[in-house]
Amino acid sequence: MPLTRRHLLQTAAAAGLAPLLPRRLIAETQLGTGRLLTVSDGNLVLPGDFVFDGMPEPELASILAARHIDRQRLTPECNVTLWQDGEQTVLFDVGAGPDFMQSAGALQGNLEAAGITPEQVTAVVFTHAHPDHIWGLLDDFDEPAFPEARYLMGRAEWDYWWDPATVESIGAERQLFALGARRRMEVIEDRIERFEDGDEILPGLAAILTPGHTPGHMSFELRQGQAAALIVGDAIGNDHVAFARPGWEANSDQDPELGAKTRVALMDRLVQEQMPVIGFHLSQGGMGHVARAEDGYRFVPL
């Protein structure tokens, strides 16, 4: 799957002076006869413990130092995947919208910069319902931001966030996640299409259950003839410790043990099949390959 274009549409005017890093990084490639790209929704600003808490500190420090990663403060990219094949324009997740974090919520403007209007989107497919993936669903009038689109979510993921008991069971630090997801899901309740693990949900697009980050997190295999790519959302949540030590439990996963098992299985498959991977929080636009490195793996951007 050769790279056809990667460019920076806009860089930060004063990077480092504010939490907002407004990059419009678009990574683009051809897949069969279609166009696969990522559009930036901005970035998150997180305390390091959100991911690293509980990991073995001496080894963690070595991994982070080698990759120039700040242990205390993370600013992961938010890369929304877009697929166009001449008949459909499919978004995978919708970003954070304006209400979650100052540094995110740039998807609408960056889609416009890429020449794509909200009305052109024919389907929105959700990997999961965390704020940076679903809070961009609504516009300023609390109507769906992509008015002509179909909306598709895995049944297990929908049921988890729709359940009123989730607010009480998810933990105090994530209660706002549950409330925000439910509010947005209520708007599309009569339009949502739910699917199961293994379903072909759109032509050439198969759903793969990759739980752990959330109970019903889905990844997607996009296939055009002999060409394929795997869209993994947050099942592989970063390109440093998640690659170097995929078996380590990550505090950012709702079920850290299951998330680690899922991550290891994905790494093995991606290496064996040499299938390109697209990750929501991976760097340099989120597109790349997985390669073996020492006793772990490494991310090789396209």
Side-chain angles (χ1 to χ4, degrees):
M1 190 170 75
L3 179 68
T4 59
R5 185 163 62 130
R6 178 187 297 279
H7 56 229
L8 207 59
L9 296 178
Q10 180 176 331
T11 56
L17 299 181
L20 181 63
L21 304 175
R23 295 189 299 173
R24 293 177 179 175
L25 180 67
I26 295 179
E28 181 178 343
T29 191
Q30 291 295 119
L31 186 73
T33 59
R35 177 192 187 208
L36 185 64
L37 64 154
T38 57
V39 182
S40 177
D41 190 49
N43 66 275
L44 302 182
V45 180
L46 303 170
D49 276 350
F50 185 79
V51 175
F52 303 137
D53 188 40
M55 293 180 178
E57 288 292 341
E59 190 173 357
L60 172 64
S62 176
I63 292 169
L64 297 182
R67 292 160 179 79
H68 308 291
I69 303 297
D70 187 342
R71 170 64 176 82
Q72 303 304 318
R73 183 177 184 268
L74 299 172
T75 56
E77 295 178 14
C78 297
N79 302 302
V80 177
T81 302
L82 183 92
W83 166 249
Q84 292 182 307
D85 64 3
E87 296 183 1
Q88 53 187 354
T89 296
V90 182
L91 272 181
F92 295 85
D93 300 326
V94 290
D99 299 328
F100 180 53
M101 195 172 285
Q102 179 188 357
S103 56
L107 177 63
Q108 290 284 354
N110 289 343
L111 282 172
E112 181 180 352
I116 298 161
T117 68
E119 291 76 18
Q120 288 177 290
V121 176
T122 58
V124 171
V125 179
F126 293 103
T127 62
H128 65 299
H130 275 167
D132 49 330
H133 297 258
I134 196 174
W135 282 22
L137 176 66
L138 304 181
D139 64 17
D140 293 338
F141 302 97
D142 278 354
E143 295 291 335
F146 303 96
E148 304 301 321
R150 299 165 58 186
Y151 292 92
L152 301 94
M153 185 183 292
R155 186 177 301 277
E157 187 73 1
W158 177 275
D159 290 348
Y160 174 74
W161 296 101
W162 191 256
D163 185 351
T166 296
V167 174
E168 302 302 324
S169 63
I170 197 172
E173 72 281 1
R174 287 187 168 99
Q175 282 186 342
L176 186 63
F177 291 13
L179 292 169
R182 174 69 188 236
R183 185 171 81 82
R184 287 153 179 84
M185 291 162 67
E186 286 172 349
V187 176
I188 59 169
E189 179 186 6
D190 60 345
R191 298 176 59 179
I192 195 70
E193 301 173 37
R194 291 175 283 271
F195 55 86
E196 307 288 350
D197 179 29
D199 287 353
E200 184 176 17
I201 62 172
L202 294 170
L205 185 67
I208 303 168
L209 182 64
T210 49
H213 186 68
T214 61
H217 186 288
M218 286 283 184
S219 297
F220 302 95
E221 181 179 334
L222 180 61
R223 186 168 291 277
Q224 287 273 296
Q226 297 300 309
L230 198 62
I231 300 160
V232 299
D234 284 5
I236 302 175
N238 59 70
D239 54 22
H240 34 83
V241 292
F243 279 77
R245 299 293 182 270
W248 281 4
E249 295 182 8
N251 190 49
S252 51
D253 292 334
Q254 289 184 214
D255 184 335
E257 181 178 1
L258 182 56
K261 290 179 180 177
T262 293
R263 206 158 37 247
V264 168
L266 283 172
M267 294 289 183
D268 287 345
R269 179 182 178 186
L270 288 162
V271 166
Q272 289 174 7
E273 299 185 20
Q274 284 298 291
M275 185 186 301
V277 62
I278 301 96
F280 194 85
H281 294 302
L282 304 185
S283 64
Q284 298 187 56
M287 289 188 184
H289 286 88
V290 180
R292 294 195 184 277
E294 300 172 352
D295 53 351
Y297 302 87
R298 60 188 177 92
F299 177 61
V300 183
L302 288 183

